[in-house]
């Protein structure tokens, strides 16, 4: 018998067991111990949960030593207190053990085990003063074996074995096995702890990797929302979609800018509306630093019934507003907080980009104003053009509106026009109207390019603007110095439309359609011009079929370059019919429309006014432009008002 066995008190027995029975019992116990060692080591190495592994140690100890109960207590480093951790048999026993704590000055049993680093056997708790503890009396133990779970000289835990109120006879081999089990338990506890730590680290790394993938995906989607021009609402909707929780964006005044409801319900975020006047909520929001977030707990007085997460949206050091998420239908997690903070940063970027776009738009508008006024030297203009990425030498057409559409309509009109023409468009707003400087490819023929832009303007106006706009279009300006003149011409054309056209539809007219006659029409007094037309055409203004035919013949005659043959082809009548009608005009008006240049100019200006007024015998400018574009030919250079100068 070794030294450890000699320290323990001898057990008095009534009759010694036969020697061969003792050896057979020792052999069986040793085999059971070896089997337990193999099983427990395997369990520890396979990474099972620590408590489950220690339950196995307790169960195998009871099996090998033929003990009814085993409790395991694990040391709470760095103190000498041991907390109940696992037990055998059953969950009921373990539940009671886990409420126990061993150690301290009054616990002589634990103290002696720690001092000796050896097992402690109490054969009779009724007579042993070391067993005068509350736990022993409460559990009504008759005998108790305490075994240190050791690695080296360090006690990591305690194995406590008992049969409850029944006594137990321990053979010397049992004590030897118990000592080995203590060493085994210490090794298993160490291995299980290390394995559990590794598994916990692996699980943490897995969670972090999963969170990293989610956050990377969320970052990409937030960036895409900005790059695709989704705006503030798209970012808020993305937060809602990725977290499954409702979200809302507020400005600094507490006004909701954008909101989104989760798919799980119809609850919306109303934190700021409900708690705007609550001092505790205001204090939390005001203390949050840029880039952080705050959790708002339920507040009965402010009618806030769920937790909220709020992240500030800061722009250039100033607080612009708040992005708020509600804890519904699931709890707030770390990913929600990360996403909310990143979304708040992207909202700030979107707002900063809008300011930058506004600044760029203002710079482009100033550049367009400089071109229209013609007051800046070439070097300054060229530097401004290079900064803005605008071609200073590009050919341009000036379009002038007789009113000022609001900023949204203007932006929409410019976008629609860019989409239809594929060209750059500059905008400048004056006191009375708005001018567009539309780039024209150098390869396009002048009249044809103006006609195409006129058509594009009509389509863009119909698409974007609901209020009636009258638009004048200049000829092509091939140099920046020609733009001020083009602007004046476009204004004159718009003024002509404003004076003599009626109705609710948009009207777009090019300067080439009016010719030099626009100077008289645009700058003359309307009543005087009406009187001039009546004086020139007289009875031709009557609404009978004969007068309509005469007016239509005059238009065809001048559009044909005063050629009777071409005019007859255009009208589909005999040449003599054209000559007869011209003679009738002379008889009615006293004007020699075929031979006298002054009379020709007077009649053509009068016809120009009639076309602007929409005379039934004359083609409208819009119809003429549509017909020209349909056949793919350029508009004739000699139009009404310009042919008289030939």
């Amino acid at each position: 018998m070794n030294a450890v066995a000699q320290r323990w008190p001898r057990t008095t027995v009534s009759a010694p067991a036969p020697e061969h029975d003792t050896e057979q019992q020792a052999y069986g116990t040793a085999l059971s111990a070896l089997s337990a060692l193999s099983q427990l080591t395997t369990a520890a190495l396979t990474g099972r949960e620590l408590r489950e592994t220690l339950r196995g140690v307790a169960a195998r100890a009871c099996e090998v030593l033929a003990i009814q109960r085993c409790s395991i207590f694990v040391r709470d480093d760095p103190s000498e207190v041991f907390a109940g951790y696992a037990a055998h048999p059953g969950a009921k026993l373990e539940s009671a053990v886990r409420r126990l704590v061993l150690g301290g000055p009054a616990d002589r049993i634990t103290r002696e085990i720690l001092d000796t680093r050896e097992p402690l056997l109490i054969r009779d708790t009724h007579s042993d003063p070391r067993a005068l503890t509350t736990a022993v009396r409460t559990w009504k133990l008759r005998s108790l074996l305490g075994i240190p779970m050791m690695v080296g000289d360090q006690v990591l835990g305690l194995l406590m074995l008992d049969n409850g109120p029944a006594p137990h006879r321990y053979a010397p081999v049992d004590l030897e096995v118990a000592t080995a089990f203590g060493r085994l338990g210490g090794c298993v506890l160490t291995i299980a702890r290390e394995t559990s730590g590794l598994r916990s680290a692996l699980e943490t790394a897995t969670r972090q990797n999963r969170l990293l993938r989610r956050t990377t995906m969320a970052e990409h989607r937030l960036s895409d929302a900005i790059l695709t021009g989704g705006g503030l609402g798209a970012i808020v909707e993305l937060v809602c979609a990725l977290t499954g929780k409702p979200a809302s964006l507020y400005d600094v005044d507490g006004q909701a800018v954008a909101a989104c409801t989760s798919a799980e319900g119809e609850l919306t975020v109303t934190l700021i509306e409900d708690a705007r006047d609550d001092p505790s909520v205001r204090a939390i929001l005001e203390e949050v630093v840029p880039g952080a977030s705050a959790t708002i707990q339920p507040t009965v007085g402010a009618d806030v019934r769920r937790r909220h997460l709020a992240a500030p949206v800061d722009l250039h050091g100033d607080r612009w507003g708040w992005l708020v998420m509600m804890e519904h239908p699931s709890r707030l997690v770390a990913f929600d907080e990360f996403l909310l903070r990143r979304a708040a940063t992207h909202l700030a970027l979107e707002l900063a980009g809008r300011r930058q776009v506004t600044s760029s738009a203002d710079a482009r508008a100033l550049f367009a104003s400089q071109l229209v006024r013609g007051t800046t030297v070439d070097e300054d203009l060229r530097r401004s053009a290079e900064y803005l990425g605008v071609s200073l030498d590009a050919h341009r057409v000036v379009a002038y509106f007789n009113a000022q559409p609001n900023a949204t309509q203007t932006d929409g009109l410019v976008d629609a026009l860019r989409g239809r023409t594929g060209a750059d468009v500059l905008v400048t707003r004056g006191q009375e109207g708005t001018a567009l400087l539309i780039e024209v490819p150098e390869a396009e023929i002048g009249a044809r390019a103006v006609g195409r832009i006129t058509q594009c303007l009509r389509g863009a106006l119909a698409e974007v603007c609901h209020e009636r706009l009258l638009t004048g279009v200049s000829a092509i300006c091939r140099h920046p110095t020609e733009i001020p003149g083009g602007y004046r011409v476009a204004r004159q054309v718009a003024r002509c439309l404003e004076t003599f056209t009626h109705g609710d539809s948009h009207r777009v007219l090019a300067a080439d359609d009016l010719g030099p006659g626009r100077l008289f029409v645009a700058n003359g007094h309307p009543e005087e011009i009406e009187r001039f037309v009546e004086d020139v055409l007289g009875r031709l203004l009557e609404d009978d079929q004969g007068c309509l035919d005469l007016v239509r013949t005059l238009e065809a005659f001048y559009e044909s370059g005063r050629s009777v043959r071409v005019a007859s082809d255009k009208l589909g009548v005999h040449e003599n019919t054209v000559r007869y009608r011209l003679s009738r005009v002379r008889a009615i008006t006293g004007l020699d429309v075929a031979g006298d240049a002054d009379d020709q100019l007077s009649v053509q200006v009068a016809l120009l006014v009639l076309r602007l007024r929409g005379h039934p015998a004359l083609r409208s400018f819009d119809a003429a432009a549509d017909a020209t574009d349909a056949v793919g030919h350029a508009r004739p250079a000699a139009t009404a008002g310009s042919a008289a100068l030939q």
Side-chain angles (χ1 to χ4, degrees):
M1 185 180 299
N2 61 21
V4 176
Q6 292 175 358
R7 288 193 190 93
W8 293 341
R10 295 180 180 274
T11 303
T12 303
V13 295
S14 57
E19 183 177 353
H20 68 278
D21 291 341
T22 302
E23 292 179 354
Q24 186 176 6
Q25 180 183 2
Y27 180 74
T29 303
L31 287 179
S32 297
L34 290 174
S35 175
L37 173 64
S38 174
Q39 293 178 5
L40 294 176
T41 304
T42 302
L45 291 175
T46 53
R48 297 169 65 182
E49 197 265 341
L50 177 61
R51 196 179 304 276
E52 184 180 355
T53 301
L54 293 182
R55 289 192 192 111
V57 172
R60 299 303 290 167
C62 291
E63 178 184 347
V64 171
L65 299 174
I67 301 294
Q68 292 182 6
R69 301 189 307 190
C70 177
S71 305
I72 296 181
F73 297 81
V74 177
R75 186 170 188 168
D76 185 12
D77 290 334
S79 67
E80 294 184 351
V81 175
F82 295 80
Y85 204 82
H88 178 80
K92 182 176 180 180
L93 176 61
E94 182 173 305
S95 176
V97 168
R98 290 172 64 176
R99 292 195 294 268
L100 295 178
V101 176
L102 303 182
D107 189 348
R108 295 176 60 185
I109 297 176
T110 302
R111 183 77 269 162
E112 184 172 339
I113 294 175
L114 291 176
D115 291 341
T116 63
R117 299 292 197 273
E118 295 177 354
L120 172 64
L121 174 62
I122 297 179
R123 296 184 182 276
D124 187 0
T125 59
H126 295 169
S127 59
D128 196 316
R130 295 171 297 180
L132 298 178
T133 64
T134 302
V136 172
R137 291 179 178 179
T138 301
W139 287 50
K140 299 178 182 181
L141 304 181
R142 184 63 183 273
S143 61
L144 177 67
L145 175 60
I147 306 171
M149 300 171 65
M150 299 180 59
V151 172
D153 292 333
Q154 184 178 8
V155 179
L156 303 180
L158 299 175
L159 278 169
M160 294 295 184
L161 297 101
D162 68 88
N163 269 350
H168 183 75
R169 298 171 60 86
Y170 290 92
V173 67
D174 295 335
L175 302 179
E176 294 290 341
V177 170
T179 302
F181 236 96
R183 295 286 180 178
L184 170 63
C187 294
V188 169
L189 179 59
T190 301
I191 295 173
R193 276 180 169 176
E194 292 179 353
T195 305
S196 177
L198 291 174
R199 184 175 64 251
S200 176
L202 178 60
E203 291 175 353
T204 300
T206 301
R207 288 194 303 270
Q208 290 176 343
N209 188 31
R210 189 183 302 114
L211 179 61
L212 179 61
R213 289 197 301 269
R214 282 188 78 185
T215 54
T216 302
M217 179 270 295
E219 191 75 27
H220 285 316
R221 294 190 63 178
L222 287 170
S223 300
D224 290 341
I226 292 180
L227 294 176
T228 55
L232 305 179
I235 297 177
V236 176
E237 290 178 1
L238 186 59
V239 169
C240 183
L242 292 176
T243 63
K245 299 177 176 66
S248 184
L249 174 64
Y250 296 93
D251 62 17
V252 72
D253 297 323
Q255 299 297 321
V257 177
C260 182
T261 303
S262 66
E264 298 295 330
E266 297 181 354
L267 290 179
T268 57
V269 176
T270 57
L271 174 69
I272 303 299
E273 293 92 334
D274 297 339
R276 180 178 301 177
D277 299 326
D278 187 89
S280 61
V281 174
R282 286 205 311 268
I284 293 175
L285 295 178
E286 291 172 358
E287 292 176 0
V288 181
V289 300
S293 59
T295 302
I296 311 297
Q297 299 295 341
T299 305
V300 177
D303 197 24
V304 179
R305 302 182 181 182
R306 301 176 185 272
R307 285 203 309 165
H308 289 74
L309 197 61
V313 180
D314 295 313
L315 188 60
H316 303 308
D318 297 326
R319 186 137 297 175
W320 182 90
W322 293 92
L323 179 60
V324 182
M325 177 191 301
M326 180 193 294
E327 189 178 47
H328 174 79
S330 58
R331 295 182 59 83
L332 295 171
V333 295
F335 174 74
D336 298 333
E337 184 175 8
F338 165 82
L339 181 62
L340 198 73
R341 292 183 180 184
R342 294 305 302 156
T345 300
H346 282 75
L347 286 169
L349 291 174
E350 172 69 11
L351 291 168
R354 289 188 178 188
R355 288 189 177 182
Q356 184 66 30
V357 169
T358 301
S359 176
S360 176
D362 292 342
R364 287 170 62 88
L366 177 60
F367 177 73
S369 177
Q370 291 172 341
L371 288 175
V372 166
R373 294 178 182 178
T375 57
T376 307
V377 297
D378 289 346
E379 293 182 0
D380 293 338
L381 276 177
R382 195 165 296 280
R383 281 196 295 268
S384 298
E386 290 177 354
Y387 174 77
L388 296 172
V390 176
S391 174
L392 183 61
D393 299 323
H395 294 180
R396 288 184 171 84
V397 166
V398 181
Y400 180 84
F401 302 104
N402 67 327
Q404 289 186 340
N406 58 46
T408 302
Q409 283 186 330
T410 302
D411 293 342
L413 181 60
V414 170
D415 290 340
L417 193 56
R418 285 173 177 163
R420 290 171 179 269
T421 62
D424 187 32
V425 180
L426 298 174
V427 184
T428 179
R429 299 165 68 92
Q431 295 181 351
E432 300 178 356
T434 302
L436 305 182
L437 277 59
I438 307 166
E439 189 172 326
V440 179
E442 295 184 14
E444 290 197 24
I445 301 174
R448 183 178 181 83
V450 174
R452 181 177 67 87
I453 291 176
T454 301
Q455 287 295 93
C456 292
L457 272 168
R458 289 195 185 98
L461 287 171
E463 176 183 343
V464 176
C465 299
H466 303 294
E467 297 180 0
R468 182 176 185 245
L469 287 179
L470 304 177
T471 309
V473 181
S474 74
I476 294 180
C477 304
R478 291 175 172 79
H479 191 271
T481 57
E482 299 177 9
I483 292 179
Y487 175 76
R488 289 192 296 271
V489 169
R491 286 194 63 183
Q492 290 174 352
V493 176
R495 193 178 297 118
C496 292
L497 291 171
E498 187 174 1
T499 303
F500 295 103
T501 60
H502 306 285
D504 298 329
S505 60
H506 299 294
R507 294 295 303 275
V508 181
L509 188 60
D512 289 344
D513 294 323
L514 297 180
R518 70 174 181 276
L519 299 176
F520 170 74
V521 176
N523 298 297
H525 194 279
E527 293 181 358
E528 294 179 355
I529 295 175
E530 292 287 352
R531 190 178 301 113
F532 168 79
V533 173
E534 292 176 0
D535 292 341
V536 171
L537 299 180
R539 287 171 47 203
L540 293 181
L541 298 177
E542 296 178 3
D543 196 19
D544 61 76
Q545 187 60 43
C547 292
L548 294 177
D549 289 339
L550 295 179
V551 172
R552 190 176 296 111
T553 300
L554 285 174
E555 178 190 36
F557 179 67
Y558 289 123
E559 285 188 349
S560 303
R562 301 189 304 278
S563 170
V564 174
R565 181 180 59 80
V566 177
S568 65
D569 293 339
K570 184 183 292 289
L571 295 171
V573 298
H574 195 274
E575 294 180 17
N576 290 336
T577 302
V578 175
R579 294 187 181 94
Y580 171 74
R581 290 178 179 177
L582 293 179
S583 65
R584 287 287 299 154
V585 170
R586 182 171 184 176
I588 293 173
T589 64
L591 300 176
D592 184 5
V593 294
D596 190 282
D598 293 335
D599 292 346
Q600 293 170 1
L601 179 58
S602 297
V603 172
Q604 286 189 282
V605 172
L607 291 176
L608 174 61
V609 175
L610 291 182
R611 287 190 70 184
L612 288 171
R613 285 165 46 181
H615 192 279
L618 304 176
R619 288 188 306 160
S620 67
F621 290 106
D622 294 346
D626 293 341
T628 300
D629 292 336
V631 299
H633 295 111
R635 187 175 295 123
T639 58
S642 62
L645 301 180
Q646 296 179 357

